[in-house]
Amino acid sequence: MTRTAYCFDLDGTLSAMEILPAIAAEIGFSEEVETLTRVTMDGHLSFAQSLRLRALLLGAVPIERVHRVVADLPLDEHLEQFVTDRADSCFVVTGNLGVWLTPMLDRLACPMVASIASHRDGHLRVDHVLDKGEFVRGLPSRGFDRVIAVGDGANDVPMLREATYGVAFGGVHSPTRSAVEAADYVVHEGRDLCRLLAEL
């Protein structure tokens, strides 16, 4: 029996709105972070550079406050159901910082890989930026025969290219050109995406 791993980006893919602008709104920086997110998704700034800048800005928000914001953010209802029904074969693969995302991942109850940060000298420091392509390449060693990856931005491109099938998803906004070019399919609705995933 073929065993398939499903890898989902989180921001704007599983989540029904962008996470970091919502956190930034807590300190009045939502416009700045939205701009930073957009230029990063379009590939004008490397994801690693952008993540460090965003961590610098948003590190001022107490972690308990971040978790309250994240806990209230909506997920795509169709994708949430898909993931919870297949928690042993689904993975959240996010470049965002795992330290911010605990409440949302508790809801999904599937494994998550994320970038890593720690608090040092009163600042939030990025210790490791996740390479999504590297994670996908390691899945056969976990017993998976093939991988289906879903994402929307430039930092999803390595994951979409390494997967057996890559899907560019435009749930919150249109996927970037680089994501579309790296994907085998392009889908804009959560319900349609779940149907495609079930058929592949």
Side-chain angles (χ1 to χ4, degrees):
M1 181 178 176
T2 301
R3 192 168 178 225
T4 301
Y6 300 92
C7 295
F8 293 92
D9 172 48
L10 180 61
D11 250 318
T13 299
L14 289 173
S15 68
M17 61 184 295
E18 293 287 352
I19 296 170
L20 297 189
I23 298 172
E26 292 290 306
I27 52 174
F29 283 173
S30 55
E31 187 174 335
E32 290 82 354
V33 170
E34 282 179 7
T35 301
L36 202 49
T37 299
R38 173 52 56 190
V39 298
T40 304
M41 289 191 65
D42 289 342
H44 302 302
L45 187 66
S46 78
F47 183 80
Q49 291 172 315
S50 176
L51 184 62
R52 288 188 167 87
L53 287 171
R54 287 182 283 185
L56 191 64
L57 284 171
L58 302 182
V61 185
I63 195 66
E64 297 81 7
R65 200 167 160 190
V66 171
H67 287 172
R68 285 198 298 273
V69 172
V70 171
D72 290 337
L73 293 178
L75 297 169
D76 181 288
E77 61 178 317
H78 303 291
L79 294 180
E80 181 178 9
Q81 189 65 55
F82 185 95
V83 170
T84 54
D85 287 348
R86 299 164 180 79
D88 59 342
S89 58
C90 288
F91 298 87
V92 176
V93 184
T94 175
N96 264 333
L97 301 178
V99 68
W100 284 334
L101 304 173
T102 304
M104 188 169 283
L105 296 168
D106 286 345
R107 288 169 56 186
L108 292 165
C110 70
M112 182 257 320
V113 289
S115 298
I116 299 169
S118 58
H119 284 92
R120 299 195 299 273
D121 302 323
H123 298 285
L124 185 64
R125 308 283 187 184
V126 177
D127 299 319
H128 173 73
V129 178
L130 178 69
D131 181 335
K132 295 186 178 188
E134 182 179 10
F135 174 73
V136 169
R137 285 194 296 276
L139 284 171
S141 67
R142 298 187 182 197
F144 291 100
D145 302 298
R146 62 181 198 155
V147 178
I148 300 176
V150 183
D152 62 354
N155 76 316
D156 294 312
V157 168
M159 173 172 76
L160 297 173
R161 286 180 175 156
E162 291 290 342
T164 312
Y165 297 108
V167 183
F169 182 56
V172 172
H173 48 71
S174 295
T176 63
R177 177 183 293 182
S178 60
V180 170
E181 290 175 350
D184 300 288
Y185 301 91
V186 180
V187 181
H188 292 276
E189 297 289 341
R191 186 192 303 271
D192 295 339
L193 175 58
C194 291
R195 287 176 180 154
L196 174 64
L197 296 177
E199 291 174 0
L200 289 175

